[in-house]
Amino acid sequence: MTGLNSKWDARFLELAQLVASWSKDPSTKVGAVIVRPNRTVLSMGYNGFPRGVGDFVDRYADREIKYQMVVHAEANAIVSAAESLLGMTMYGTLYPCCECAKLIIQSGIQTLVVPRAERLERYAESMARSERMFVESGVVVRQI
């Protein structure tokens, strides 16, 4: 990877980290940024409850309720986009679960950039499925 690309990757991952900080989830804050080929931001998202749904502390504290109600950062970025995502790049703060991987693939996103880090053990099986789907579908994943 060229120095220019790595600088932009670092910048957009830093932006995704900032977006992640907007999440009210006390245990896992995730951010996603979708970028056009000309390096302009198309859309952003963070994990949280749907618009208009109360984001009460007790809901976040109950893992079963939280998992049923939270919209993941990647999904929020995709549904918030006001144009086609075909050929775009998504930057995320965490390797996506298989549900988000399906959305990334179906939306036409071409490249995914995530930090090289340990995957969360409780999501390991889902992330392994994501990896297989990305390989089969031709989505390029760069872990930096």
Side-chain angles (χ1 to χ4, degrees):
M1 180 181 347
T2 68
L4 181 61
N5 283 339
S6 63
K7 285 181 184 180
W8 281 103
D9 284 348
R11 289 174 181 156
F12 287 124
L13 280 176
E14 186 177 329
L15 179 58
Q17 281 290 355
L18 174 65
V19 172
S21 74
W22 302 340
S23 172
K24 293 184 181 179
D25 187 333
S27 64
T28 308
K29 296 180 182 299
V30 181
V33 176
I34 301 173
V35 177
R36 297 177 188 93
N38 68 358
R39 297 187 185 112
T40 58
V41 174
L42 189 155
S43 184
M44 300 182 289
Y46 56 90
N47 59 312
F49 295 145
R51 288 183 189 105
V53 174
D55 53 359
F56 307 121
V57 174
D58 60 321
R59 287 180 173 171
Y60 281 111
D62 185 320
R63 193 172 292 256
E64 185 176 340
I65 290 173
K66 178 176 83 167
Y67 283 174
Q68 291 175 5
M69 295 179 71
V70 163
V71 180
H72 289 185
E74 301 89 343
N76 269 325
I78 289 168
V79 301
S80 296
E83 60 190 75
S84 171
L85 301 181
L86 193 62
M88 303 302 168
T89 299
M90 176 180 278
Y91 291 84
T93 60
L94 184 66
Y95 200 92
C97 71
C98 62
E99 292 301 314
C100 289
K102 291 186 284 189
L103 294 174
I104 291 165
I105 293 163
Q106 285 298 93
S107 71
I109 290 172
Q110 178 180 324
T111 305
L112 172 68
V113 181
V114 292
R116 184 178 308 279
E118 279 188 45
R119 296 179 187 182
L120 300 178
E121 185 59 37
R122 66 181 177 260
Y123 304 124
E125 189 176 318
S126 179
M127 291 174 171
R129 279 191 212 107
S130 298
E131 190 170 27
R132 283 192 300 273
M133 288 191 291
F134 288 140
V135 168
E136 288 180 27
S137 67
V139 171
V140 175
V141 179
R142 293 198 321 260
Q143 294 181 314
I144 61 171

